Amino acid sequence: MTDIVKIDPFLYGYFLDETLEHGERVGLALLHAAKNIEIRFSRRLLPETAFETKYGSSNYTPSEGLRFSDENIIKLAEKYPEHKETFQRYINKINVFRDKAKRLYSEPTEALDRSGAEWGGGWGGHSNPDYGRIINYGTEHIRSIIAESRAKHPDEAWFFRSCSYALDALDIIGERYREAALERAESCESPDDKSFLLRMAEAFKTVPKKPAYDFTSAMCSFMLVFALDGSDSPGRFDQYMYPAYMKTENKDEIADLLDRLWDYFLDHRSWNLCISGSNENWNDETNELSYDILAMVRKKGYQTPNLTCRVHRNTPDKLWSAIADTLSTGTGLPALYNDDTVCTALEKIGILPQDSHDYCMNGCNQIDILGKSHMGLEDGEVVFAKCLEFALHNGTDAMSGTKVSIETGNPQSFESYEEFERAFMNQLEYVTYNSCASAITWQHLRGLFEPHPLRSCLIEGCLEKGRDYRNGGPLYNHGQILAEGIADTGDSLYAVKKLVYDEKKYTMAELIDALNANFNGYAKLHRDFKSCEKFGNDIEEVDEITARILNRFLTVLKRNNTYRGGVFTGGCSTYNRAANYGRRTAALPNGKLNGEPLLADSIAATPGRDKNGPTAQIKSVLRYNHTNACSGFVFQNKFEKKLFCTDKGKASFIALAKAYFAGGGQQYTVTVVSPEDLIDAKNNPDNHRNLIVRVGGYSDYFVNLDEALQDNVIERTVIEA
């Protein structure tokens, strides 16, 4: 008879003692998984094992914590009939999470969610644990924190036991990798790989229990935790790895390790690695490893991990030059973030300066504090264009004909533009509050049912408070709700103001009839509304309306407290969902047709609508107050490759980026590509499999995008540097 611990060690550990707290049982599940899961190496021989079982009945991920699959447990019962009764008992007692979520999810919010106007919660997101806690201090040091904190919080002894089990799991896996590396080295034919395996085995005599002593041991320590934790976002890699970098004289060894690591990143879609930045005294923190990482990105040409480079008032010219050289390869990496704006934004919501300057990105481009926060990824999204649709149809989803939002009045009765804008603002506020409420519900449930003892050991505040990383343990626990379709909405509001209320060229009734007809039979009206001035061209009135509606959204967010213990903040980045939001939105006064997928390019203009050049576009975008956005606030340009890749072109880019950041811009992303290549890639994808573009918060292969997103990228205005 096969023991259940061998069939699924997670299940075995979790049900070992059903009288224990849920969180402690999760820790025991990790411990037994560490003893029994398969030890694997990546194709470049780095530790690859993650907390998962080959049967897939249970897994432990960064976003979801410990999860079980009813379907796969049933398959186990069929495969191992001798354990059928035990497996059935397991099924009856797991997965309470989703059932409770459904009961707490309100009907109004669910209706809005179905309409495509918003979503909130529903997945756990990413975060940025401090891998440096393991690398530079070791599990033994963390155990000393546990012992000290446990004495202060005796009622949370179960939580500390759970965290201790997670550390035991790391130590056990480390020892198993030491043995596996020695065994594999015996049969390894490559002298270089054999040497690396032997160095790895030697390193695991020390790490993860004790601090790393060189770059190899630091990499082993990092990979052990990173792989087990699901290959999430490495965060400020050049900072926490730098002490070990400085202890290593052999730079060829470092180069080989980085080369191996970048292949691992590609194979596992690792998310966001952040380099450089400043400290609270505005001293530059660029180091040699920062430059090595940029060189590796140039060498490999991969689209992952999403590389972020922090710049600020004292960024050296050498780094700016390396940034331009790296962008010229066409990977869209690195994305640039401006410390002067981001740190100010974070400090406005109560994050201390010494911590605000330790920010990095989780996931695509959302902001977290390395090892000190759990600020979601996005906790939700609000689609501005859909809120405008509700204002135009008095709370009705024009795509389905169903009343899903509040009634804000028949727009045909409004006597002024101010009344119409107020109706839109009320719709926006209602949808935003619902997104926050939904996110809070999910945060609450995750705090109760998805503890994460491993991350609780790597984020400051959790052990000190005796509280899990998902349940208010970190120092900072804000949330992030993103906006979509901002410029489409600003353009539409301006067109209504100009043509209906200021010039009185059309009545509101005529406009609504035209929208309901998808502009069929209203060619002149459609042409007039579509040709109205648009955001992104430095036209004051359009820009002011667009900035005003975004500011209302960001203000409303901060009135909502997260369950975790912070406030909601906002940002904007186009993701692959954006085209789908467009498809679910009806015709709009900016000329958008019913179900047309094209929506605004993050915080910038709707692609193809900015006609007055890059300076005008930047001036429009800078009318937003970027210090009110505490999540990724993406602004992206497309540069003509043949010009960018000259010294003059790179100098023009650097000057433009510096001017944008000096004006208060938060984030800047660049695609360097030939427009002709994009069009040819759409028509002949097999000839352009390696063509990489920026989608918004991330880079991806152009041929992997759906047609609507490809069109979005193609339509973006090209800057001829």
Side-chain angles (χ1 to χ4, degrees):
M1 178 184 293
T2 306
D3 290 338
I4 290 180
V5 69
K6 297 297 184 183
I7 297 171
D8 190 325
F10 280 112
L11 280 171
Y12 174 83
Y14 184 77
F15 283 99
L16 196 60
D17 186 345
E18 296 179 40
T19 67
L20 300 177
E21 290 274 1
H22 172 58
E24 185 170 356
R25 295 170 68 186
V26 170
L28 282 168
L30 296 184
L31 178 61
H32 286 279
K35 294 176 181 178
N36 292 280
I37 55 179
E38 178 187 0
I39 289 294
R40 299 194 306 270
F41 293 90
S42 73
R43 62 185 169 97
R44 299 296 306 281
L45 300 179
L46 291 173
E48 190 179 42
T49 297
F51 274 134
E52 60 187 6
T53 62
K54 59 185 176 182
Y55 299 110
S57 57
S58 52
N59 62 6
Y60 184 82
T61 68
S63 61
E64 305 296 348
L66 180 61
R67 281 291 180 87
F68 300 105
S69 164
D70 290 3
E71 180 181 346
N72 287 330
I73 294 176
I74 290 172
K75 291 179 180 178
L76 291 183
E78 294 171 351
K79 185 174 183 178
Y80 301 96
E82 67 271 27
H83 296 299
K84 184 175 182 179
E85 290 185 6
T86 300
F87 284 132
Q88 187 59 54
R89 180 168 60 85
Y90 291 169
I91 291 171
N92 293 337
K93 293 187 176 184
I94 62 176
N95 288 341
V96 295
F97 177 88
R98 295 285 169 179
D99 293 337
K100 289 183 180 292
K102 290 176 182 177
R103 289 199 294 272
L104 291 173
Y105 212 61
S106 71
E107 174 55 34
T109 300
E110 192 169 355
L112 285 172
D113 188 67
R114 287 195 301 266
S115 77
E118 60 80 42
W119 64 270
W123 84 296
H126 303 269
S127 69
N128 291 106
D130 183 5
Y131 300 105
R133 267 196 170 190
I134 298 290
I135 296 166
N136 297 314
Y137 298 98
T139 60
E140 290 182 354
H141 173 76
I142 299 175
R143 292 180 196 280
S144 69
I145 299 175
I146 289 176
E148 183 179 340
S149 298
R150 184 171 178 173
K152 296 177 182 177
H153 304 282
D155 292 342
E156 309 301 327
W158 64 269
F159 167 73
F160 294 109
R161 286 194 295 270
S162 176
C163 293
S164 295
Y165 294 143
L167 295 178
D168 291 343
L170 287 182
D171 292 343
I172 289 168
I173 293 287
E175 176 58 26
R176 292 184 65 196
Y177 263 110
R178 186 188 70 80
E179 296 170 355
L182 286 173
E183 181 179 348
R184 185 150 183 170
E186 290 181 2
S187 58
C188 185
E189 297 181 359
S190 165
D192 289 342
D193 286 346
K194 182 171 185 175
S195 173
F196 174 66
L197 286 164
L198 292 174
R199 292 204 318 272
M200 182 189 298
E202 184 66 24
F204 278 122
K205 288 182 181 179
T206 300
V207 300
K209 292 182 179 180
K210 297 182 183 297
Y213 53 84
D214 66 359
F215 204 71
T216 296
S217 58
M219 186 67 77
C220 289
S221 189
F222 167 74
M223 284 303 308
L224 182 69
V225 187
F226 187 68
L228 284 175
D229 193 44
S231 303
D232 201 358
S233 290
R236 301 193 73 193
F237 184 85
D238 65 337
Q239 302 302 307
Y240 58 73
M241 291 290 283
Y242 193 58
Y245 182 100
M246 291 296 291
K247 295 175 184 176
T248 306
E249 294 183 2
N250 187 345
K251 300 308 178 187
D252 290 339
E253 177 182 320
I254 292 173
D256 175 66
L257 285 162
L258 290 176
D259 196 279
R260 293 173 186 271
L261 178 63
W262 248 254
D263 285 347
Y264 177 93
F265 284 154
L266 176 68
D267 293 343
H268 294 271
R269 186 55 179 99
S270 304
W271 287 92
N272 205 305
L273 188 149
C274 183
I275 62 172
S276 191
S278 59
N279 64 19
E280 66 269 27
N281 297 314
W282 296 103
N283 296 314
D284 181 62
E285 294 188 325
T286 310
N287 56 44
E288 294 98 320
L289 181 53
S290 312
Y291 290 106
D292 286 354
I293 289 169
L294 286 170
M296 188 57 60
V297 171
R298 293 194 295 273
K299 173 185 175 182
K300 292 291 190 179
Y302 298 156
Q303 91 282 15
T304 185
N306 196 13
L307 181 67
T308 294
C309 184
R310 289 173 42 185
V311 297
H312 53 93
R313 64 189 71 171
N314 294 320
T315 294
D317 290 341
K318 179 182 177 182
L319 183 62
W320 275 109
S321 179
I323 290 168
D325 288 343
T326 308
L327 284 168
S328 70
T329 63
T331 61
L333 304 173
L336 304 181
Y337 271 77
N338 177 17
D339 287 5
D340 293 79
T341 296
V342 175
C343 294
T344 300
L346 295 175
E347 289 159 25
K348 286 171 70 172
I349 59 170
I351 296 177
L352 298 175
Q354 63 265 35
D355 296 333
S356 73
H357 284 262
D358 216 10
Y359 79 88
C360 52
M361 279 62 234
N362 66 42
C364 292
N365 66 331
Q366 282 67 47
I367 296 171
D368 238 331
I369 311 299
L370 179 69
K372 295 180 180 180
S373 71
H374 178 25
M375 301 201 294
L377 165 66
E378 63 263 29
D379 284 294
E381 282 180 294
V382 170
V383 182
F384 280 39
K386 197 72 180 179
C387 296
L388 177 62
E389 179 186 317
F390 295 157
L392 286 161
H393 301 280
N394 200 16
T396 295
D397 176 8
M399 296 292 285
S400 67
T402 305
K403 183 82 72 174
V404 299
S405 190
I406 56 173
E407 293 187 357
T408 47
N410 182 350
Q412 296 181 40
S413 68
F414 297 157
E415 296 183 358
S416 68
Y417 168 75
E418 287 70 25
E419 283 186 78
F420 179 66
E421 185 178 294
R422 187 156 56 246
F424 164 75
M425 293 294 197
N426 288 337
Q427 293 289 350
L428 179 65
E429 289 192 13
Y430 176 74
V431 173
T432 301
Y433 278 127
N434 274 274
S435 181
C436 291
S438 179
I440 290 166
T441 296
W442 284 97
Q443 288 173 11
H444 186 182
L445 291 170
R446 292 188 190 284
L448 293 176
F449 299 111
E450 291 190 349
H452 213 302
L454 178 56
R455 289 203 167 179
S456 295
C457 291
L458 303 180
I459 295 181
E460 187 177 347
C462 299
L463 298 179
E464 292 80 359
K465 297 177 188 176
R467 300 194 69 176
D468 186 80
Y469 135 83
R470 293 193 186 278
N471 201 26
L475 295 184
Y476 304 107
N477 294 281
H478 302 296
Q480 301 179 51
I481 306 285
L482 303 186
E484 296 287 354
I486 301 170
D488 308 83
T489 307
D491 292 347
S492 294
L493 288 169
Y494 175 76
V496 170
K497 182 179 186 301
K498 178 180 179 180
L499 296 177
V500 175
Y501 292 102
D502 292 350
E503 298 181 359
K504 302 187 186 308
K505 190 170 184 177
Y506 299 98
T507 66
M508 183 65 80
E510 289 175 311
L511 171 61
I512 292 175
D513 286 344
L515 295 173
N516 289 335
N518 198 27
F519 296 111
N520 289 324
Y522 295 87
K524 184 176 185 304
L525 181 149
H526 186 217
R527 185 168 57 252
D528 287 346
F529 274 85
K530 191 172 183 177
S531 63
C532 264
E533 293 85 347
K534 298 292 191 286
F535 179 83
N537 295 289
D538 189 25
I539 299 169
E540 184 175 0
E541 192 168 13
V542 188
D543 296 349
E544 285 184 351
I545 289 173
T546 309
R548 185 162 62 244
I549 62 176
L550 179 64
N551 189 61
R552 177 66 67 89
F553 168 71
L554 297 173
T555 299
V556 169
L557 283 178
K558 291 180 182 179
R559 296 173 184 164
N560 290 266
N561 293 323
T562 66
Y563 168 77
R564 296 188 291 255
V567 297
F568 282 101
T569 62
C572 178
S573 60
T574 301
Y575 193 60
N576 56 16
R577 293 183 295 270
N580 192 45
Y581 291 139
R583 294 187 185 100
R584 298 171 74 180
T585 303
L588 295 174
N590 69 336
K592 176 193 179 302
L593 297 176
N594 187 51
E596 189 176 41
L598 189 64
L599 276 184
D601 179 12
S602 297
I603 68 169
T606 303
R609 306 296 191 267
D610 50 320
K611 305 292 187 181
N612 293 347
T615 302
Q617 183 179 198
I618 284 176
K619 290 175 72 174
S620 288
V621 169
L622 288 178
R623 284 203 170 90
Y624 302 127
N625 184 345
H626 293 227
T627 65
N628 285 338
C630 298
S631 184
F633 204 56
V634 173
F635 176 55
Q636 46 197 10
N637 280 153
K638 188 168 70 178
F639 282 82
E640 170 62 64
K641 186 171 185 177
K642 65 183 178 183
L643 295 174
F644 188 99
C645 295
T646 66
D647 290 341
K648 180 181 177 181
K650 292 175 187 176
S652 297
F653 152 72
I654 292 171
L656 192 64
K658 286 183 175 181
Y660 177 62
F661 288 146
Q666 185 202 98
Q667 192 267 14
Y668 193 34
T669 303
V670 168
T671 292
V672 177
V673 69
S674 163
E676 294 78 15
D677 286 346
L678 291 176
I679 295 170
D680 191 58
K682 182 179 178 181
N683 296 325
N684 303 288
D686 288 340
N687 297 335
H688 299 274
R689 291 291 172 189
N690 294 323
L691 179 62
I692 296 173
V693 296
R694 290 297 295 193
V695 178
Y698 65 105
S699 290
D700 204 350
Y701 292 107
F702 181 79
V703 297
N704 290 345
L705 307 180
D706 69 22
E707 184 177 1
L709 276 177
Q710 289 181 339
D711 289 341
N712 181 296
V713 173
I714 290 170
E715 285 292 325
R716 295 174 194 166
T717 299
V718 177
I719 295 177
E720 298 180 350

